Amino acid sequence: MTKNSIEEGGIRARPSWDDATDLAQKIASGDTTPLQAVEECIKRIKFFNKPLNAVVSLQEEKAIQEAKTRDFTGLPFGGVPLLLKDLGQNQAGVVSSGGSKLFTKSTSASSDYFVRALEAAGFIIIGRTNVPEFGFKNISDAAIFGPVSNPFRLKCNAGGSSGGAAAAVSSGMVPIAAASDGGGSIRIPASFTSLIGLKPSRGKIPVGPSSFRGWQGASVNFALTTSVRDTRNLLEALQVQQMESPFIMPLLSHEALHARIDRPLRIAYSDQSPVGSLVSDEAKAALRWTIEFLEHLGHSVEKVEPAIDGYDLMKGYYVMNSVETAAMFDEIAQGLGRDLTPDDMELMTWAIYQAGQEILAKDYTKILQDWDYYSAKMAKFHEVYDLYLTPTTADVAPLHGQLGLTPDLEEELKGMADLTVAQGQNLIWRMFEKSLALTPFTQLANITGQPAISLPVYFTEDGLPLGVQFMAAKGREDLLLALAQDFEDHDLILNRWAKE
C-alpha cells in the first residue's frame, strides 16, 4: 500500500496482484494464503473506502474464518476475496439493503444461486458494495449511504448501479467484484472507471431461487474485472444451462472460450445516440481510435445501425420498469403488513412505483412482444455483422449532483399518483432524460438478451476514462472475449494504472 496515488482529486493504489486469476495462482502455489489475501483486501478497504464510499458493509470475521478453514484445492478462484453488490445478490444470514432504508436490517434467508456459484468457484465473500436505491439509476448515490466517488476524480460519480463494485476494483481494494446489469449497470461504471464490463447473454448465468426473471430477463449478474482472462475464467466457472430457468442458453466449450479470431470480422458501428441526444467529441474520438485499430487487424468496419426505434425501445423499457417496480413493492407491502408511503423510499423510486399502478396487462404484454421483435431483428442483423460497436457512454463520468432533479420536476413527481398512465410515463421520461442522454447505448442488449462488453480503451486529455461497447449475437461471448484479447495483447486495455 506504499504506492498510493492521489492525483487531481483521484485515488488509486497498485495492489500486490495483477488480477484475480493471478491471486488465485499465488494462493494455489503457496506464494500467499487465503488468509493473507483476505487481510490485505480488508486493510485496503478500510484505508481507501472513506473517500470513495464504495463498500457499505464488511463481514470480516466470517471471511477470516472461511480463509482459515476452507479447502480451496482445485477451485478456479480458490481463496480470492470478492465483494457482492448490495442488491439482488442475497447471501444467507447477511443483510442486503438494496440501497433502501426498508431493508437496512433485513437478512436473507437463503443464498441466491448466483452467490452459491461464486462460492463454489472458490471466492471468499468479504462484504457488499454501494448501489443506488433498488438499482434504478446509472449513478450510485443512495440516500442512506451517500454517493460513490470515482477513483480517477473524486468529485465525479463512479456510475451505477454497480458503482460501488467499480470503485472498489478500480481503486485496488479488491481484484474483482460481483455486479449486475439491467440497463447498463456493469458496462456504464466500467466505462467511467477504466474496467472491463461484460454483460452475459440472458440465460447464461444462474438465476433463482428468489427471482428467475429479473426485470423480465433484462437484468443479469456477473462482475467487473481488470483483465480479459478474469472475465473469461469467471464466465467459464459460472455459465449454466439451467433447465428451471425461463431462459436457457447453450454452454460454451473450453475450446470456444479460449479460441482466437481466425478470420476478418464484419463489424457495424454507430456514433449516434439512439434517442437523438448529444454524443461528446471524446466519446466519438474513442470510437474512431477503436475503428482504426480494428481496421489495422484486418476487420471490415461499416457505419450501420440496426433498424430499431430507440425512442420506442426506451419507452417500453420504462413501462417494464414501472410495472416490475409496482409488483415488487406490492410484495414488500404484503410482507410488511402495511401500505408503503413516500417516506419509505426516495422520490424517484416512489414515482416509478406509482407510475406502474394502472398500466394494463394487455399493454404490458405488447411491450414484451416488442422485446421479442427487437431480439429477432438483432438476430438477423448479426447474420450479416459479427459485432455491433458503439461508445459505451456518451461522455465521461458525471460530477456528483450533475444528474439531479430540478425543484419543479420534484414537485411534479410527488403528484405521480394523480396522473394518467400516459402522463406518468411522460414524466418518467423527463425524470430520466439527463441520465439517458449520458448513457443511451447500453439498454438495447438488456432488452434483446444479447451479450455486450465495455472495454477500457481511451482516456480524455483531462485524464478521465471512456469505454467502447461491442455487442454480439446471443450466446457469442466467445467472440467478444476473443476480440478483447486482441486489444489486451496489443496493450490497448487501459487499466487503472495507465495514467501513472
Side-chain angles (χ1 to χ4, degrees):
M1 207 174 298
T2 57
K3 188 172 183 181
N4 173 27
S5 172
I6 302 178
E7 301 171 355
E8 297 181 345
I11 179 168
R12 310 185 297 281
R14 184 182 294 277
S16 62
W17 55 77
D18 292 333
D19 57 9
T21 300
D22 175 63
L23 183 53
Q25 291 171 348
K26 288 177 177 176
I27 291 170
S29 67
D31 289 343
T32 190
T33 68
L35 179 59
Q36 289 171 323
V38 166
E39 288 178 336
E40 179 181 359
C41 287
I42 289 175
K43 183 178 181 181
R44 299 174 76 85
I45 290 169
K46 290 180 177 179
F47 190 81
F48 290 111
N49 195 51
K50 186 174 181 180
L52 293 173
N53 197 30
V55 180
V56 295
S57 66
L58 282 173
Q59 46 197 70
E60 186 172 352
E61 291 184 9
K62 185 177 185 297
I64 288 174
Q65 180 64 20
E66 182 178 352
K68 288 180 177 178
T69 60
R70 185 178 172 192
D71 181 8
F72 297 98
T73 304
L75 302 180
F77 292 98
V80 174
L82 172 128
L83 292 162
L84 292 178
K85 184 175 179 177
D86 199 35
L87 172 69
Q89 297 179 359
N90 297 326
Q91 184 185 16
V94 177
V95 171
S96 178
S97 74
S100 169
K101 62 183 179 181
L102 282 170
F103 297 110
T104 54
K105 297 181 181 179
S106 178
T107 59
S108 302
S110 63
S111 295
D112 289 340
Y113 291 147
F114 171 71
V115 174
R116 297 182 203 182
L118 290 170
E119 292 174 321
F123 288 109
I124 300 176
I125 296 167
I126 62 172
R128 306 184 73 84
T129 57
N130 202 345
V131 299
E133 187 175 54
F134 296 110
F136 291 135
K137 298 181 184 178
N138 59 1
I139 57 171
S140 293
D141 64 348
I144 63 169
F145 294 126
V148 179
S149 293
N150 193 307
F152 285 91
R153 196 70 48 82
L154 294 179
K155 64 183 180 181
C156 296
N157 199 278
S161 62
S162 305
V169 176
S170 183
S171 64
M173 292 182 186
V174 290
I176 190 170
S180 61
D181 192 314
S185 292
I186 288 175
R187 290 159 287 154
I188 292 166
S191 177
F192 290 159
T193 63
S194 197
L195 297 173
I196 297 174
L198 172 68
K199 183 203 81 71
S201 301
R202 180 180 299 153
K204 180 67 71 172
I205 302 300
V207 293
S210 58
S211 173
F212 285 92
R213 53 168 71 232
W215 285 4
Q216 291 301 323
S219 183
V220 179
N221 285 305
F222 198 59
L224 284 152
T225 66
T226 62
S227 70
V228 176
R229 68 175 180 176
D230 273 3
T231 312
R232 179 189 295 111
N233 293 343
L234 184 65
L235 183 65
E236 188 164 15
L238 297 184
Q239 66 168 342
V240 292
Q241 194 170 32
Q242 190 177 357
M243 301 312 293
E244 73 268 40
S245 166
F247 311 107
I248 302 170
M249 186 65 56
L251 298 177
L252 286 165
S253 68
H254 177 82
E255 292 73 22
L257 283 169
H258 289 263
R260 303 306 299 267
I261 294 174
D262 59 0
R263 61 178 175 86
L265 300 179
R266 193 173 182 187
I267 301 172
Y269 83 91
S270 174
D271 60 2
Q272 300 298 307
S273 164
V275 293
S277 53
L278 179 68
V279 179
S280 71
D281 290 341
E282 295 282 16
K284 291 181 178 180
L287 198 66
R288 287 195 301 271
W289 181 92
T290 302
I291 291 168
E292 289 176 6
F293 175 65
L294 293 170
E295 290 176 337
H296 171 73
L297 292 178
H299 302 306
S300 172
V301 187
E302 305 172 41
K303 190 171 186 179
V304 182
E305 297 177 6
I308 292 176
D309 188 313
Y311 290 96
D312 286 346
L313 181 138
M314 285 308 304
K315 287 176 182 178
Y317 181 85
Y318 291 145
V319 169
M320 174 280 298
N321 194 255
S322 300
V323 172
E324 296 299 317
T325 299
M328 176 186 73
F329 279 122
D330 284 352
E331 186 176 351
I332 291 171
Q334 184 177 9
L336 294 175
R338 65 173 179 83
D339 292 337
L340 298 176
T341 73
D343 291 335
D344 289 317
M345 62 196 74
E346 297 176 26
L347 177 58
M348 290 180 71
T349 303
W350 175 258
I352 298 169
Y353 174 28
Q354 297 307 303
Q357 293 294 330
E358 302 297 331
I359 294 172
L360 297 176
K362 63 180 181 180
D363 294 331
Y364 190 47
T365 296
K366 174 62 167 58
I367 295 296
L368 298 183
Q369 289 173 340
D370 287 344
W371 285 24
D372 294 339
Y373 171 73
Y374 300 143
S375 180
K377 292 203 77 169
M378 288 306 296
K380 290 291 185 183
F381 185 83
H382 284 293
E383 290 178 3
V384 179
Y385 297 101
D386 297 289
L387 298 171
Y388 181 44
L389 167 66
T390 66
T392 305
T393 56
D395 208 342
V396 297
L399 297 170
H400 290 308
Q402 180 177 325
L403 303 181
L405 304 173
T406 65
D408 288 346
L409 188 54
E410 287 182 347
E411 285 302 312
E412 290 187 69
L413 291 172
K414 292 175 184 177
M416 178 68 83
D418 299 325
L419 302 181
T420 66
V421 170
Q423 290 171 333
Q425 287 304 304
N426 286 335
L427 188 53
I428 291 293
W429 184 279
R430 289 171 53 206
M431 182 178 77
F432 281 122
E433 194 164 18
K434 287 192 290 186
S435 297
L436 179 61
L438 180 62
T439 60
F441 298 104
T442 52
Q443 296 85 3
L444 175 60
N446 298 90
I447 288 174
T448 61
Q450 297 170 243
I453 194 168
S454 179
L455 298 181
V457 300
Y458 190 82
F459 279 94
T460 68
E461 291 185 3
D462 198 31
L464 290 175
L466 275 171
V468 294
Q469 174 183 250
F470 289 93
M471 290 174 57
K474 285 182 183 177
R476 292 307 311 271
E477 286 87 355
D478 57 324
L479 190 56
L480 295 176
L481 292 168
L483 186 63
Q485 190 66 63
D486 285 340
F487 277 81
E488 191 171 72
D489 287 348
H490 286 79
D491 294 324
L492 300 178
I493 295 294
L494 304 182
N495 65 26
R496 59 193 181 281
W497 317 120
K499 300 301 289 184
E500 292 188 3

